[in-house]
């Protein structure tokens, strides 16, 4: 494993690598892991299977024995010709993170963060969540034999995710309020009671696992750098982690360039997209955020400084999409490509569609959309399907079954 330190994202003050707090003690800034990449060359990754741990030199875990894994990463990068044709795009790919063990990209971060928790001697882990972080943490803490506490906004989490949390034996606490309030309480508890280790994306070790998304995309494209990468944005951890990953491969001179990063938010939960569109260098939190994409129903994203810098440095942008556009994109991806994703994930497709229509994306560019979670997580979408799509009833009368079926077809 290579040497690393923790650093404040804002004032660049160094912190010891075994720091367990989540904010800079001097300025309150977010923390970041910094690897010492000077004089380093690409390790013999080629001989290892595509997965999060393929890149272990660039992950902040000291000992191989600490690793707790469920075989995360190694997800498909699917060229989507049929949907690409509909969108007018020539080189369009979907990186489908729903193929991870608990059905979302969170597993990349969780395998690293839980391994780090073990190295730091923690045995109680905690998160606030819109569902996927909770499902992932519940699974990884079960595997690690740790106690797990999960705070969710009551009535605002998809059924599949709730089932995962309960099935893995985590303590599920429902908060009257939204995700932002749940996270606030979780942060306060972690501050007051050091034994509860916070696993939200404020945890810099978790984001290190998530950066492997970028490494895999580059590996799968044989180190051809895509022009554009599009991701849904909630708390902003994933887009900034991916940017860090692209940047590290550039620092290692494995690639020369980096892609433009585009973040998509739901129209009524879009503090980051609004700040980008109005060229502000701060966000204004959205109170009472609303969207069918419950995973990204977030009004006050903690990682906003990292996201704004990612978008600026990469010369990217942000866009908003309506619930209708999200559901339409979800259906199109499933119908044309066989890839079933949850609504928040379909936001990236819907956003790309909008930007293509506006001429903000060049049709000849190589574009990767990241779909972050599996469609089975949120069965409530069934109620939102148009009546014409919900199937046929076959009335069976004596002797005329096949004929009746033939009439429907
Ligand atoms: N897509 C899905 C399916 C998610 O679950 C999330 C975040 C995001 C996108 C946004 O990622 O927060 O890194 O910008 N879900 C969190 C959770 C908040 O608690 O599961 P982000």
């Amino acid at each position: 494993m290579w040497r690393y330190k923790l650093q404040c994202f804002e004032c660049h003050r160094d912190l010891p690598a075994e720091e367990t707090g989540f904010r800079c003690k001097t300025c309150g800034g977010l923390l970041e892991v910094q690897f010492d990449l000077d004089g380093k060359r690409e390790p013999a990754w080629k001989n290892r299977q595509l997965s999060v741990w393929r890149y272990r030199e660039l992950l902040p875990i000291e000992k191989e024995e600490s690793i707790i894994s469920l075989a995360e990463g190694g997800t498909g990068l699917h060229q989507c010709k049929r949907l690409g044709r509909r969108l007018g795009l020539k080189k369009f790919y979907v990186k489908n993170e729903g193929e991870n063990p608990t059905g979302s990209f969170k597993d990349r971060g969780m395998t690293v963060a839980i391994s780090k928790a073990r190295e730091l001697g923690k045995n109680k882990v905690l998160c606030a969540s819109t569902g996927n972080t909770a499902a992932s943490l519940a699974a990884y803490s079960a595997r690690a034999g740790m106690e797990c506490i999960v705070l969710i906004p009551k009535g605002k989490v998809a059924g599949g995710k709730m089932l995962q949390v309960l099935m893995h034996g985590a303590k599920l606490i429902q908060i009257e309020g939204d995700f932002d309030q749940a996270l606030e309480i979780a942060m306060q508890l972690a501050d007051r009671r050091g034994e509860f280790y916070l696993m939200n994306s404020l945890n810099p070790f978790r984001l290190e696992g998530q950066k492997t998304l970028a490494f895999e995309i580059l590996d799968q494209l044989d180190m051809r750098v895509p022009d554009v990468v599009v991701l849904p944005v909630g708390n902003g951890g994933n887009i900034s982690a991916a940017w860090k990953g692209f940047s590290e491969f550039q620092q290692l001179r494995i690639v020369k360039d980096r892609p433009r990063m585009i973040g998509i938010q739901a129209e009524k939960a879009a503090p980051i997209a609004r700040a980008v569109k109005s060229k502000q260098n701060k966000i204004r939190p959205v109170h009472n955020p609303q969207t069918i994409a419950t995973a990204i129903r977030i009004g006050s994203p903690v990682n906003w400084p990292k996201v704004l810098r990612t978008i600026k440095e990469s010369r990217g942008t942000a866009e908003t999409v309506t619930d209708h556009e999200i559901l339409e994109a979800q259906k199109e991806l499933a119908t044309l490509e066989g890839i079933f994703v949850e609504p928040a994930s379909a936001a990236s497709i819907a956003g790309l569609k909008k930007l293509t229509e506006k001429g903000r994306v060049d049709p000849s560019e190589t574009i990767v959309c990241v779909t972050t979670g599996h469609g089975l997580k949120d069965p409530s979408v069934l109620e939102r399907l148009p009546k014409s799509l919900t199937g046929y009833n076959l009335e069976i009368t004596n002797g005329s079954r096949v004929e009746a079926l033939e009439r429907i077809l």
Side-chain angles (χ1 to χ4, degrees):
M1 314 280 168
W2 291 348
R3 270 166 36 119
Y4 64 89
K5 62 182 178 189
L6 277 176
Q7 198 173 54
C8 171
F9 180 74
E10 303 291 345
C11 74
H12 305 294
R13 177 177 168 265
D14 287 351
L15 290 94
E18 59 282 359
E19 170 67 44
T20 54
F22 298 103
R23 293 268 185 195
C24 171
K25 292 199 176 70
T26 310
C27 76
L30 296 164
L31 304 184
E32 194 168 57
V33 172
Q34 284 288 346
F35 275 87
D36 178 9
L37 299 180
D38 276 354
K40 291 282 191 300
R41 295 240 235 95
E42 182 182 352
W45 284 326
K46 296 273 174 297
N47 306 326
R48 301 180 196 156
Q49 189 181 334
L50 196 71
S51 72
V52 166
W53 294 103
R54 171 183 171 101
Y55 311 100
R56 53 183 171 263
E57 288 81 358
L58 278 173
L59 296 173
I61 298 299
E62 318 290 326
K63 296 185 230 92
E64 198 103 13
E65 311 87 80
S66 318
I67 296 175
I68 293 155
S69 171
L70 288 164
E72 46 292 311
T75 57
L77 180 72
H78 308 282
Q79 184 161 18
C80 291
K81 291 193 176 158
R82 277 156 47 85
L83 182 55
R85 218 171 292 134
R86 178 158 313 172
L87 301 178
L89 302 171
K90 294 204 179 70
K91 288 172 270 176
F92 171 51
Y93 297 83
V94 165
K95 177 72 170 160
N96 188 20
E97 289 290 281
E99 294 166 33
N100 275 297
T102 76
S104 85
F105 72 96
K106 306 284 179 181
D107 299 339
R108 286 185 189 278
M110 220 50 89
T111 181
V112 175
I114 203 97
S115 304
K116 193 70 206 175
R118 178 183 268 181
E119 280 193 343
L120 293 169
K122 304 285 181 186
N123 54 21
K124 290 182 185 169
V125 285
L126 162 77
C127 75
S129 179
T130 56
N132 281 323
T133 298
S136 182
L137 182 57
Y140 281 84
S141 56
R143 187 135 177 100
M146 292 185 195
E147 195 180 321
C148 175
I149 292 143
V150 157
L151 271 61
I152 62 163
K154 191 172 178 184
K156 298 176 181 128
V157 169
K161 302 173 191 181
M162 300 268 287
L163 178 58
Q164 287 178 288
V165 170
L166 296 171
M167 192 56 73
H168 292 302
K171 189 175 277 176
L172 179 69
I173 299 165
Q174 308 208 35
I175 304 281
E176 298 282 352
D178 55 27
F179 167 81
D180 304 301
Q181 289 158 310
L183 181 57
E184 189 55 47
I185 301 172
M187 290 190 295
Q188 283 176 17
L189 182 68
D191 270 348
R192 285 159 69 120
R193 302 269 301 271
E195 75 263 35
F196 293 107
Y197 189 51
L198 189 68
M199 301 290 265
N200 280 94
S201 54
L202 275 178
N203 183 323
F205 299 114
R206 209 190 97 190
L207 294 184
E208 289 302 290
Q210 284 176 212
K211 76 186 177 186
T212 61
L213 167 71
F215 300 162
E216 284 189 10
I217 291 173
L218 292 173
D219 252 323
Q220 287 169 308
L221 290 173
D222 292 326
M223 298 304 163
R224 277 179 294 119
V225 180
D227 297 290
V228 175
V229 176
V230 189
L231 298 104
V233 173
N235 239 344
N238 208 30
I239 192 170
S240 28
W243 178 241
K244 188 170 189 285
F246 286 118
S247 305
E248 287 181 357
F249 265 29
Q250 189 190 39
Q251 281 165 40
L252 285 167
R253 299 203 202 92
I254 300 172
V255 292
K256 283 210 185 81
D257 310 308
R258 294 177 291 180
R260 306 201 307 281
M261 305 294 287
I262 298 184
I264 310 296
Q265 295 200 292
E267 196 171 48
K268 292 185 183 151
I272 289 174
R274 276 204 217 148
V276 171
K277 284 182 182 208
S278 57
K279 299 194 167 52
Q280 302 293 314
N281 54 13
K282 272 201 169 99
I283 62 150
R284 272 206 292 140
V286 170
H287 297 290
N288 194 17
Q290 299 290 340
T291 169
I292 187 176
T294 49
I296 53 171
R297 186 171 172 175
I298 295 175
S300 184
V302 277
N303 290 302
W304 68 263
K306 290 187 178 177
V307 185
L308 292 188
R309 194 174 308 167
T310 293
I311 289 175
K312 194 166 170 202
E313 273 181 17
S314 75
R315 289 172 293 108
T317 189
E319 187 52 273
T320 60
V321 287
T322 63
D323 282 0
H324 178 73
E325 289 162 339
I326 288 174
L327 291 171
E328 204 173 71
Q330 181 188 31
K331 184 75 179 53
E332 273 181 318
L333 181 64
T335 307
L336 293 175
E337 300 292 351
I339 300 172
F340 181 28
V341 304
E342 67 169 287
S345 310
S348 65
I349 310 282
L352 172 64
K353 202 168 162 185
K354 212 165 193 176
L355 290 167
T356 312
E357 281 159 11
K358 286 183 179 174
R360 301 283 302 274
V361 171
D362 178 344
S364 64
E365 289 185 316
T366 301
I367 296 162
V368 177
C369 257
V370 180
T371 53
T372 42
H374 200 289
L376 287 173
K377 289 202 170 242
D378 190 353
S380 74
V381 174
L382 187 58
E383 289 144 40
R384 300 286 294 258
L385 286 180
K387 285 268 178 305
S388 60
L389 284 178
T390 49
Y392 300 90
N393 293 322
L394 179 60
E395 260 181 50
I396 298 191
T397 50
N398 274 350
S400 64
R401 297 175 190 197
V402 179
E403 289 80 355
L405 178 58
E406 277 176 338
R407 271 199 297 281
I408 291 172
L409 301 176

